[in-house]
Amino acid sequence: MTTFTELGLHKQVLKAVTAEGYDTPTPIQAQAIPHLLEGRDLLGIAQTGTGKTAAFALPTLDYLLDDAQPRKGKSTRVLVLAPTRELAGQIAESFRTYSKYMDCVTQTVFGGVKIGRQIRSLEKGAHVLVATPGRLLDLMNQGAVRLDDVEVLILDEADQMLDMGFIHDLKKIMAKVPDERQTLLFSATMPKQISDLAQQYLDDPVRVSVAPESTTAERVNQGVVHVANGDKLQLLEAVLRDPDLERALVFTRTKHGADKVVRKMMAKGIAAQAIHGNKSQPQRMKALEAFRDGRCKVLIATDIAARGIDIDGISHVINFEMPNVAEQYVHRIGRTARAGREGVAVSFVAEDELYYLREVEKITRIEVDTLPAPEGCEHLVLPTPSRDVRVRKPKGPSRGGGGGRSRGGQGHGGGKGGQKRGRSAKRPGKNQRRRDREKASA
Ligand code: AMP
Protein backbone atom coordinates (compact mmCIF):
# COMPACT_ATOMS: atom_id res chain seq x y z
CA MET A 1 0.00 0.00 0.00
CA THR A 2 1.30 3.45 -0.90
CA THR A 3 1.90 5.97 1.87
CA PHE A 4 1.69 9.74 1.58
CA THR A 5 5.46 9.96 2.09
CA GLU A 6 6.07 7.62 -0.84
CA LEU A 7 4.04 9.87 -3.10
CA GLY A 8 6.88 12.38 -2.86
CA LEU A 9 4.88 15.42 -1.75
CA HIS A 10 6.61 18.44 -0.25
CA LYS A 11 7.01 18.34 3.50
CA GLN A 12 4.67 21.31 4.05
CA VAL A 13 1.89 19.39 2.30
CA LEU A 14 2.72 16.18 4.16
CA LYS A 15 2.63 18.03 7.45
CA ALA A 16 -0.90 19.29 6.72
CA VAL A 17 -2.02 15.80 5.69
CA THR A 18 -0.65 14.37 8.94
CA ALA A 19 -2.29 17.15 10.93
CA GLU A 20 -5.61 16.11 9.37
CA GLY A 21 -5.03 12.59 10.65
CA TYR A 22 -4.83 10.92 7.23
CA ASP A 23 -2.37 8.06 7.25
CA THR A 24 -2.96 6.29 3.96
CA PRO A 25 -4.04 7.72 0.63
CA THR A 26 -7.50 6.66 -0.53
CA PRO A 27 -7.58 4.69 -3.84
CA ILE A 28 -8.28 7.79 -5.93
CA GLN A 29 -5.43 9.63 -4.23
CA ALA A 30 -2.99 6.73 -4.70
CA GLN A 31 -3.94 6.45 -8.36
CA ALA A 32 -4.15 10.12 -9.29
CA ILE A 33 -1.46 11.91 -7.32
CA PRO A 34 1.64 10.38 -9.01
CA HIS A 35 0.34 11.37 -12.47
CA LEU A 36 -0.71 14.81 -11.35
CA LEU A 37 2.73 15.43 -9.88
CA GLU A 38 4.11 14.70 -13.34
CA GLY A 39 1.88 17.41 -14.75
CA ARG A 40 -0.47 15.08 -16.64
CA ASP A 41 -4.08 15.95 -17.41
CA LEU A 42 -6.56 13.73 -15.64
CA LEU A 43 -10.06 12.43 -16.14
CA GLY A 44 -11.33 11.16 -12.81
CA ILE A 45 -14.52 9.24 -12.31
CA ALA A 46 -15.23 9.54 -8.63
CA GLN A 47 -17.81 10.94 -6.33
CA THR A 48 -17.79 12.77 -3.04
CA GLY A 49 -16.62 10.65 -0.15
CA THR A 50 -13.76 9.05 -2.07
CA GLY A 51 -11.19 11.65 -1.03
CA LYS A 52 -11.15 13.22 -4.48
CA THR A 53 -10.69 16.76 -3.16
CA ALA A 54 -7.34 15.90 -1.61
CA ALA A 55 -6.52 13.89 -4.75
CA PHE A 56 -6.50 17.12 -6.74
CA ALA A 57 -5.63 19.62 -4.03
CA LEU A 58 -2.45 17.99 -2.69
CA PRO A 59 -0.53 17.69 -5.98
CA THR A 60 -1.73 21.15 -7.01
CA LEU A 61 -0.39 22.70 -3.83
CA ASP A 62 2.79 20.71 -4.30
CA TYR A 63 3.14 22.34 -7.70
CA LEU A 64 2.65 25.80 -6.24
CA LEU A 65 5.46 25.04 -3.78
CA ASP A 66 7.67 23.82 -6.61
CA ASP A 67 7.41 27.13 -8.33
CA ALA A 68 6.47 29.58 -5.59
CA GLN A 69 5.36 32.99 -6.78
CA PRO A 70 3.58 35.88 -5.13
CA ARG A 71 -0.03 36.26 -6.22
CA LYS A 72 -0.85 38.83 -8.86
CA GLY A 73 -3.72 41.29 -8.73
CA LYS A 74 -7.07 40.07 -10.13
CA SER A 75 -5.43 36.86 -11.12
CA THR A 76 -5.11 33.23 -10.05
CA ARG A 77 -2.75 30.36 -10.77
CA VAL A 78 -5.21 27.60 -9.96
CA LEU A 79 -8.87 27.73 -10.92
CA VAL A 80 -11.36 25.22 -9.55
CA LEU A 81 -14.90 25.22 -10.94
CA ALA A 82 -17.66 23.54 -8.97
CA PRO A 83 -21.44 23.40 -9.50
CA THR A 84 -22.73 24.60 -6.13
CA ARG A 85 -21.86 27.14 -3.50
CA GLU A 86 -21.65 24.42 -0.87
CA LEU A 87 -19.20 22.39 -2.85
CA ALA A 88 -17.13 25.45 -3.76
CA GLY A 89 -16.98 26.39 -0.07
CA GLN A 90 -15.92 22.90 0.92
CA ILE A 91 -13.22 22.70 -1.74
CA ALA A 92 -11.83 26.08 -0.69
CA GLU A 93 -11.83 24.94 2.92
CA SER A 94 -9.87 21.83 1.94
CA PHE A 95 -7.31 23.91 0.02
CA ARG A 96 -6.89 26.16 3.06
CA THR A 97 -6.49 23.18 5.37
CA TYR A 98 -3.91 21.48 3.17
CA SER A 99 -1.98 24.70 2.55
CA LYS A 100 -1.77 25.91 6.12
CA TYR A 101 2.02 25.41 6.26
CA MET A 102 2.73 27.29 3.06
CA ASP A 103 2.11 30.67 1.55
CA CYS A 104 -1.07 30.20 -0.42
CA VAL A 105 -4.15 32.37 -0.66
CA THR A 106 -7.39 30.61 -1.57
CA GLN A 107 -10.40 32.68 -2.53
CA THR A 108 -13.95 31.54 -3.21
CA VAL A 109 -16.59 33.19 -5.36
CA PHE A 110 -20.16 32.04 -5.84
CA GLY A 111 -23.55 33.48 -6.58
CA GLY A 112 -26.30 34.37 -4.15
CA VAL A 113 -24.22 36.85 -2.17
CA LYS A 114 -23.27 40.43 -2.96
CA ILE A 115 -20.63 40.72 -5.63
CA GLY A 116 -18.90 43.84 -4.25
CA ARG A 117 -16.98 42.07 -1.54
CA GLN A 118 -15.83 39.42 -4.00
CA ILE A 119 -14.59 42.11 -6.38
CA ARG A 120 -12.58 43.70 -3.59
CA SER A 121 -11.18 40.41 -2.34
CA LEU A 122 -9.97 39.57 -5.84
CA GLU A 123 -8.08 42.82 -6.20
CA LYS A 124 -4.93 41.35 -4.71
CA GLY A 125 -5.44 38.09 -6.57
CA ALA A 126 -5.23 34.50 -5.37
CA HIS A 127 -3.12 31.44 -5.75
CA VAL A 128 -6.23 29.27 -5.81
CA LEU A 129 -9.66 30.48 -6.85
CA VAL A 130 -12.66 28.22 -6.33
CA ALA A 131 -15.73 29.41 -8.21
CA THR A 132 -19.15 28.52 -9.49
CA PRO A 133 -19.25 29.20 -13.23
CA GLY A 134 -22.02 31.82 -13.35
CA ARG A 135 -20.53 34.14 -10.76
CA LEU A 136 -17.04 33.73 -12.16
CA LEU A 137 -18.29 34.82 -15.54
CA ASP A 138 -19.97 37.87 -14.01
CA LEU A 139 -16.72 38.79 -12.32
CA MET A 140 -14.78 38.30 -15.54
CA ASN A 141 -17.23 40.52 -17.40
CA GLN A 142 -16.81 43.21 -14.78
CA GLY A 143 -13.05 43.05 -15.14
CA ALA A 144 -12.62 41.88 -11.55
CA VAL A 145 -10.67 38.79 -12.48
CA ARG A 146 -8.69 37.54 -15.45
CA LEU A 147 -7.71 34.01 -16.23
CA ASP A 148 -4.60 34.40 -18.32
CA ASP A 149 -2.34 33.26 -15.48
CA VAL A 150 -4.22 30.03 -14.85
CA GLU A 151 -1.81 27.12 -14.87
CA VAL A 152 -4.00 24.45 -13.34
CA LEU A 153 -7.70 24.16 -14.13
CA ILE A 154 -9.89 21.76 -12.18
CA LEU A 155 -13.48 20.98 -13.10
CA ASP A 156 -15.18 19.22 -10.21
CA GLU A 157 -18.51 17.40 -10.47
CA ALA A 158 -18.56 18.20 -14.15
CA ASP A 159 -21.68 16.12 -14.78
CA GLN A 160 -23.55 18.19 -12.24
CA MET A 161 -22.35 21.42 -13.83
CA LEU A 162 -23.75 20.25 -17.16
CA ASP A 163 -27.00 19.13 -15.53
CA MET A 164 -27.36 22.60 -14.08
CA GLY A 165 -27.07 24.17 -17.49
CA PHE A 166 -23.60 25.62 -17.02
CA ILE A 167 -22.25 24.42 -20.36
CA HIS A 168 -22.34 27.82 -22.04
CA ASP A 169 -20.71 29.50 -19.06
CA LEU A 170 -18.08 26.78 -18.99
CA LYS A 171 -17.25 27.26 -22.65
CA LYS A 172 -16.88 30.99 -22.21
CA ILE A 173 -14.59 30.42 -19.25
CA MET A 174 -12.54 27.79 -21.08
CA ALA A 175 -11.99 30.25 -23.90
CA LYS A 176 -10.17 32.56 -21.49
CA VAL A 177 -7.74 30.17 -19.84
CA PRO A 178 -4.37 29.62 -21.49
CA ASP A 179 -4.05 26.59 -23.75
CA GLU A 180 -0.91 25.55 -22.00
CA ARG A 181 -2.18 24.39 -18.67
CA GLN A 182 -2.87 21.28 -16.65
CA THR A 183 -6.52 20.27 -16.72
CA LEU A 184 -8.30 17.92 -14.33
CA LEU A 185 -11.87 16.88 -14.82
CA PHE A 186 -13.80 14.99 -12.15
CA SER A 187 -17.23 13.58 -12.66
CA ALA A 188 -19.32 11.04 -10.79
CA THR A 189 -20.83 9.70 -13.98
CA MET A 190 -19.58 9.49 -17.52
CA PRO A 191 -22.35 10.41 -19.95
CA LYS A 192 -21.41 11.19 -23.53
CA GLN A 193 -21.45 14.93 -22.89
CA ILE A 194 -18.67 14.49 -20.35
CA SER A 195 -16.52 12.38 -22.64
CA ASP A 196 -17.02 15.04 -25.32
CA LEU A 197 -15.95 17.71 -22.87
CA ALA A 198 -12.90 15.69 -21.90
CA GLN A 199 -12.02 15.15 -25.54
CA GLN A 200 -12.23 18.85 -26.21
CA TYR A 201 -10.40 20.22 -23.21
CA LEU A 202 -8.05 17.55 -21.89
CA ASP A 203 -4.73 16.68 -23.44
CA ASP A 204 -3.95 12.96 -23.42
CA PRO A 205 -5.43 12.52 -19.96
CA VAL A 206 -4.73 9.74 -17.51
CA ARG A 207 -8.01 8.07 -16.63
CA VAL A 208 -8.65 7.17 -13.06
CA SER A 209 -11.85 5.64 -11.88
CA VAL A 210 -12.87 4.54 -8.45
CA ALA A 211 -15.82 2.22 -8.39
CA PRO A 212 -19.03 4.01 -7.51
CA GLU A 213 -19.26 3.37 -3.83
CA SER A 214 -20.77 -0.08 -4.04
CA THR A 215 -19.29 -0.71 -0.62
CA THR A 216 -21.33 2.21 0.68
CA ALA A 217 -24.43 0.90 -1.04
CA GLU A 218 -23.81 -2.48 0.54
CA ARG A 219 -23.58 -1.01 4.00
CA VAL A 220 -26.81 0.91 3.58
CA ASN A 221 -29.95 -0.93 4.60
CA GLN A 222 -32.16 -0.05 1.69
CA GLY A 223 -35.88 -0.39 1.73
CA VAL A 224 -38.94 0.81 -0.06
CA VAL A 225 -42.45 1.67 1.00
CA HIS A 226 -45.12 1.70 -1.69
CA VAL A 227 -47.40 4.60 -0.95
CA ALA A 228 -49.71 6.99 -2.78
CA ASN A 229 -48.30 10.47 -3.33
CA GLY A 230 -51.03 12.00 -1.20
CA ASP A 231 -50.06 9.86 1.82
CA LYS A 232 -46.34 10.53 1.76
CA LEU A 233 -46.37 13.39 4.26
CA GLN A 234 -48.11 11.30 6.86
CA LEU A 235 -45.69 8.44 6.27
CA LEU A 236 -42.73 10.80 6.51
CA GLU A 237 -43.88 12.07 9.84
CA ALA A 238 -44.02 8.50 11.19
CA VAL A 239 -40.57 7.67 9.84
CA LEU A 240 -39.08 10.86 11.28
CA ARG A 241 -40.46 9.99 14.70
CA ASP A 242 -38.45 6.74 14.73
CA PRO A 243 -36.31 6.91 17.90
CA ASP A 244 -33.35 5.34 16.03
CA LEU A 245 -33.26 8.30 13.70
CA GLU A 246 -30.29 10.50 14.55
CA ARG A 247 -30.12 12.74 11.54
CA ALA A 248 -32.15 12.44 8.35
CA LEU A 249 -31.59 13.85 4.92
CA VAL A 250 -34.85 13.90 2.99
CA PHE A 251 -34.80 14.30 -0.78
CA THR A 252 -37.45 15.93 -2.87
CA ARG A 253 -37.26 16.46 -6.60
CA THR A 254 -38.10 20.14 -6.57
CA LYS A 255 -37.33 23.21 -4.49
CA HIS A 256 -41.01 23.85 -4.15
CA GLY A 257 -41.51 20.31 -2.87
CA ALA A 258 -38.73 20.77 -0.32
CA ASP A 259 -40.34 23.92 1.09
CA LYS A 260 -43.72 22.23 1.30
CA VAL A 261 -42.30 19.28 3.24
CA VAL A 262 -40.57 21.65 5.66
CA ARG A 263 -43.81 23.55 6.27
CA LYS A 264 -45.79 20.38 6.87
CA MET A 265 -43.21 18.86 9.21
CA MET A 266 -42.84 22.09 11.17
CA ALA A 267 -46.62 22.17 11.55
CA LYS A 268 -46.37 18.71 13.12
CA GLY A 269 -43.71 19.88 15.54
CA ILE A 270 -40.76 18.30 13.74
CA ALA A 271 -37.88 20.73 13.30
CA ALA A 272 -36.82 20.65 9.65
CA GLN A 273 -34.97 22.98 7.33
CA ALA A 274 -34.54 23.04 3.59
CA ILE A 275 -31.56 23.69 1.40
CA HIS A 276 -31.97 24.33 -2.28
CA GLY A 277 -31.02 26.76 -4.97
CA ASN A 278 -33.59 29.41 -4.03
CA LYS A 279 -32.20 29.81 -0.54
CA SER A 280 -29.70 32.56 0.05
CA GLN A 281 -26.19 31.60 0.98
CA PRO A 282 -26.58 32.65 4.64
CA GLN A 283 -29.82 30.63 4.85
CA ARG A 284 -28.12 27.54 3.50
CA MET A 285 -25.14 27.95 5.79
CA LYS A 286 -27.44 28.32 8.78
CA ALA A 287 -29.44 25.23 7.85
CA LEU A 288 -26.29 23.16 7.37
CA GLU A 289 -24.83 24.45 10.60
CA ALA A 290 -27.97 23.52 12.56
CA PHE A 291 -28.00 20.10 10.92
CA ARG A 292 -24.31 19.53 11.65
CA ASP A 293 -24.49 20.44 15.31
CA GLY A 294 -27.71 18.49 15.87
CA ARG A 295 -30.10 21.38 16.55
CA CYS A 296 -32.13 20.31 13.56
CA LYS A 297 -32.35 16.58 12.87
CA VAL A 298 -34.05 16.82 9.52
CA LEU A 299 -32.70 18.46 6.40
CA ILE A 300 -34.83 18.53 3.28
CA ALA A 301 -32.81 18.91 0.12
CA THR A 302 -32.91 18.76 -3.62
CA ASP A 303 -30.30 16.66 -5.39
CA ILE A 304 -28.32 19.60 -6.60
CA ALA A 305 -28.09 21.33 -3.24
CA ALA A 306 -27.17 18.12 -1.43
CA ARG A 307 -24.54 17.03 -3.88
CA GLY A 308 -21.11 17.07 -2.35
CA ILE A 309 -22.27 17.84 1.14
CA ASP A 310 -19.98 16.09 3.56
CA ILE A 311 -21.78 15.60 6.85
CA ASP A 312 -21.07 12.68 9.09
CA GLY A 313 -23.67 10.91 11.16
CA ILE A 314 -26.60 10.91 8.74
CA SER A 315 -28.47 7.84 9.97
CA HIS A 316 -31.30 8.01 7.44
CA VAL A 317 -31.65 9.06 3.84
CA ILE A 318 -35.28 9.31 2.84
CA ASN A 319 -36.31 9.53 -0.77
CA PHE A 320 -39.57 11.39 -0.34
CA GLU A 321 -39.65 11.37 -4.11
CA MET A 322 -37.65 9.01 -6.26
CA PRO A 323 -35.01 10.63 -8.43
CA ASN A 324 -35.76 10.21 -12.10
CA VAL A 325 -32.11 9.68 -12.91
CA ALA A 326 -31.00 6.41 -11.36
CA GLU A 327 -27.43 7.57 -10.63
CA GLN A 328 -28.84 10.24 -8.34
CA TYR A 329 -30.14 7.49 -6.11
CA VAL A 330 -26.61 6.23 -5.58
CA HIS A 331 -25.47 9.77 -4.71
CA ARG A 332 -28.35 10.22 -2.35
CA ILE A 333 -27.86 7.05 -0.35
CA GLY A 334 -24.11 7.65 -0.32
CA ARG A 335 -24.79 10.51 2.14
CA THR A 336 -25.35 7.91 4.85
CA ALA A 337 -23.17 4.99 5.99
CA ARG A 338 -20.07 7.17 5.82
CA ALA A 339 -16.84 6.37 7.57
CA GLY A 340 -17.70 2.72 8.10
CA ARG A 341 -21.00 3.36 9.87
CA GLU A 342 -24.35 1.81 9.08
CA GLY A 343 -27.12 3.74 7.42
CA VAL A 344 -30.71 3.37 6.35
CA ALA A 345 -32.18 4.50 3.06
CA VAL A 346 -35.95 4.51 2.72
CA SER A 347 -37.65 5.25 -0.57
CA PHE A 348 -41.27 6.29 -0.79
CA VAL A 349 -42.43 4.97 -4.12
CA ALA A 350 -45.77 5.97 -5.60
CA GLU A 351 -47.26 4.11 -8.52
CA ASP A 352 -45.96 6.63 -11.03
CA GLU A 353 -42.43 6.23 -9.61
CA LEU A 354 -42.17 2.47 -9.89
CA TYR A 355 -40.30 2.79 -13.16
CA TYR A 356 -37.58 4.80 -11.42
CA LEU A 357 -37.24 2.19 -8.68
CA ARG A 358 -36.75 -0.51 -11.32
CA GLU A 359 -34.09 1.65 -13.00
CA VAL A 360 -32.27 2.00 -9.68
CA GLU A 361 -32.42 -1.75 -9.15
CA LYS A 362 -30.94 -2.25 -12.59
CA ILE A 363 -27.91 -0.04 -12.04
CA THR A 364 -27.23 -1.10 -8.45
CA ARG A 365 -28.07 -4.76 -9.15
CA ILE A 366 -29.89 -4.84 -5.85
CA GLU A 367 -33.54 -5.73 -5.43
CA VAL A 368 -34.78 -3.29 -2.84
CA ASP A 369 -37.01 -4.98 -0.26
CA THR A 370 -40.35 -3.65 0.89
CA LEU A 371 -40.22 -2.41 4.48
CA PRO A 372 -42.88 -3.11 7.07
CA ALA A 373 -45.22 -0.18 7.59
CA PRO A 374 -44.28 2.10 10.49
CA GLU A 375 -46.63 1.77 13.43
CA GLY A 376 -49.95 3.41 12.79
CA CYS A 377 -49.32 3.67 9.05
CA GLU A 378 -50.45 0.21 8.03
CA HIS A 379 -53.45 1.64 6.21
CA LEU A 380 -51.23 3.91 4.07
CA VAL A 381 -49.01 1.24 2.65
CA LEU A 382 -49.83 -0.19 -0.76
CA PRO A 383 -49.15 -3.81 -1.71
CA THR A 384 -45.77 -4.58 -3.27
CA PRO A 385 -46.16 -4.64 -7.06
CA SER A 386 -45.14 -7.85 -8.75
CA ARG A 387 -41.78 -7.85 -10.48
CA ASP A 388 -43.27 -9.70 -13.42
CA VAL A 389 -45.27 -6.70 -14.52
CA ARG A 390 -43.45 -4.48 -16.96
CA VAL A 391 -43.48 -0.87 -15.87
CA ARG A 392 -43.62 1.87 -18.43
CA LYS A 393 -41.63 5.06 -18.19
CA PRO A 394 -43.96 7.82 -17.01
CA LYS A 395 -44.69 10.56 -19.50
CA GLY A 396 -43.57 14.09 -18.82
CA PRO A 397 -40.22 15.74 -18.41
CA SER A 398 -37.46 13.19 -18.60
CA ARG A 399 -35.66 14.75 -15.67
CA GLY A 400 -36.94 16.88 -12.86
CA GLY A 401 -33.74 17.16 -10.87
CA GLY A 402 -34.92 19.81 -8.46
CA GLY A 403 -35.70 22.45 -11.01
CA GLY A 404 -32.29 22.15 -12.61
CA ARG A 405 -33.19 24.11 -15.69
CA SER A 406 -30.58 26.07 -17.46
CA ARG A 407 -29.82 29.33 -15.80
CA GLY A 408 -32.35 31.99 -16.63
CA GLY A 409 -31.23 34.87 -18.75
CA GLN A 410 -27.96 33.32 -19.82
CA GLY A 411 -29.43 32.62 -23.21
CA HIS A 412 -28.17 30.12 -25.70
CA GLY A 413 -25.93 32.38 -27.68
CA GLY A 414 -22.35 31.56 -28.32
CA GLY A 415 -23.10 29.07 -31.05
CA LYS A 416 -21.68 25.58 -31.17
CA GLY A 417 -18.32 24.18 -30.61
CA GLY A 418 -16.55 26.43 -28.15
CA GLN A 419 -12.85 26.74 -28.60
CA LYS A 420 -10.57 23.92 -29.55
CA ARG A 421 -7.50 23.34 -27.52
CA GLY A 422 -4.51 24.22 -29.54
CA ARG A 423 -0.85 23.94 -28.77
CA SER A 424 -0.11 27.54 -29.59
CA ALA A 425 1.22 28.44 -26.20
CA LYS A 426 1.94 32.11 -25.88
CA ARG A 427 4.33 31.44 -23.07
CA PRO A 428 5.74 28.29 -21.55
CA GLY A 429 3.03 26.84 -19.38
CA LYS A 430 3.17 24.50 -16.50
CA ASN A 431 3.91 21.31 -18.43
CA GLN A 432 6.56 22.93 -20.54
CA ARG A 433 8.22 24.47 -17.51
CA ARG A 434 8.23 21.14 -15.76
CA ARG A 435 9.79 19.49 -18.80
CA ASP A 436 12.36 22.29 -19.02
CA ARG A 437 13.21 21.85 -15.35
CA GLU A 438 13.59 18.12 -15.80
CA LYS A 439 15.88 18.64 -18.78
CA ALA A 440 17.92 21.20 -16.88
CA SER A 441 18.39 18.87 -13.92
CA ALA A 442 19.14 15.81 -16.11
P1 AMP B 1 -14.04 14.07 -0.55
O1 AMP B 1 -14.36 12.86 -1.37
O2 AMP B 1 -12.96 14.86 -1.11
O3 AMP B 1 -15.28 14.88 -0.28
O4 AMP B 1 -13.52 13.57 0.88
C1 AMP B 1 -14.33 12.87 1.78
C2 AMP B 1 -13.80 12.89 3.20
O5 AMP B 1 -12.65 12.06 3.33
C3 AMP B 1 -13.39 14.27 3.71
O6 AMP B 1 -13.99 14.46 4.97
C4 AMP B 1 -11.88 14.20 3.84
O7 AMP B 1 -11.43 14.97 4.93
C5 AMP B 1 -11.63 12.72 4.09
N1 AMP B 1 -10.35 12.23 3.55
C6 AMP B 1 -9.76 12.56 2.39
N2 AMP B 1 -8.61 11.88 2.21
C7 AMP B 1 -8.45 11.08 3.28
C8 AMP B 1 -7.46 10.11 3.66
N3 AMP B 1 -6.42 9.83 2.90
N4 AMP B 1 -7.63 9.49 4.84
C9 AMP B 1 -8.73 9.76 5.62
N5 AMP B 1 -9.70 10.64 5.31
C10 AMP B 1 -9.58 11.30 4.15
Side-chain angles (χ1 to χ4, degrees), residues 7 40 44 46 57 70 76 82-83 91 116 152 157-158 183 201 238 246 294 305 349 364 433:
L7 291 173
R40 293 282 304 267
T76 185
I91 295 170
V152 184
E157 309 233 339
T183 314
Y201 295 115
E246 285 167 41
V349 177
T364 59
R433 289 212 307 275

Side-chain angles (χ1 to χ4, degrees), residues 171-425:
K171 287 190 167 167
K172 286 178 197 157
I173 293 167
M174 300 303 275
K176 298 287 182 195
V177 288
D179 287 339
E180 185 68 33
R181 59 167 195 260
Q182 185 180 27
T183 314
L184 286 58
L185 188 155
F186 287 86
S187 183
T189 56
M190 195 60 196
K192 178 161 183 309
Q193 261 192 312
I194 295 290
S195 47
D196 290 351
L197 205 66
Q199 175 102 27
Q200 192 176 359
Y201 295 115
L202 303 185
D203 182 20
D204 186 24
V206 178
R207 282 158 203 269
V208 172
S209 163
V210 288
E213 295 277 282
S214 58
T215 44
T216 306
E218 280 155 19
R219 271 205 313 275
V220 179
N221 291 315
Q222 300 172 62
V224 50
V225 182
H226 296 278
V227 56
N229 281 316
D231 291 330
K232 283 186 174 181
L233 284 165
Q234 205 183 329
L235 185 69
L236 180 65
E237 185 193 344
V239 173
L240 293 179
R241 292 201 191 279
D242 177 349
D244 287 340
L245 185 137
E246 285 167 41
R247 212 174 267 158
L249 185 56
V250 179
F251 284 94
T252 59
R253 273 208 304 258
T254 65
K255 304 173 209 178
H256 187 70
D259 286 335
K260 183 173 163 195
V261 173
V262 168
R263 277 198 311 276
K264 298 283 179 186
M265 291 305 114
M266 296 293 276
K268 301 276 180 193
I270 296 174
Q273 304 213 36
I275 55 161
H276 55 63
N278 285 359
K279 297 274 176 192
S280 69
Q281 184 59 14
Q283 280 173 326
R284 289 182 188 208
M285 297 304 238
K286 252 173 80 183
L288 281 177
E289 207 45 51
F291 190 57
R292 263 202 194 102
D293 67 23
R295 272 176 293 137
C296 169
K297 286 205 313 190
V298 182
L299 192 66
I300 321 279
T302 55
D303 289 290
I304 286 168
R307 185 87 173 247
I309 287 177
D310 183 30
I311 294 176
D312 290 336
I314 295 177
S315 61
H316 287 61
V317 166
I318 300 168
N319 294 311
F320 185 79
E321 288 158 327
M322 286 298 279
N324 41 16
V325 178
E327 282 86 3
Q328 294 283 23
Y329 176 90
V330 181
H331 293 306
R332 287 181 178 190
I333 71 164
R335 310 290 101 220
T336 182
R338 308 274 282 233
R341 296 175 63 169
E342 297 252 307
V344 178
V346 186
S347 299
F348 294 179
V349 177
E351 210 179 342
D352 60 357
E353 294 173 303
L354 193 55
Y355 174 83
Y356 302 121
L357 174 66
R358 296 287 177 255
E359 288 295 293
V360 164
E361 291 179 323
K362 251 190 245 164
I363 71 153
T364 59
R365 298 199 194 91
I366 291 175
E367 287 190 1
V368 186
D369 291 331
T370 301
L371 294 173
E375 231 180 280
C377 288
E378 293 76 7
H379 61 293
L380 301 180
V381 170
L382 302 173
T384 305
S386 158
R387 290 185 180 278
D388 302 334
V389 179
R390 254 195 78 199
V391 192
R392 276 178 202 281
K393 186 171 183 176
K395 293 212 172 70
S398 62
R399 35 170 313 110
R405 280 178 295 134
S406 63
R407 292 156 40 78
Q410 289 293 328
H412 292 274
K416 270 181 72 180
Q419 134 265 30
K420 192 93 191 131
R421 254 197 100 186
R423 301 268 91 205
S424 57

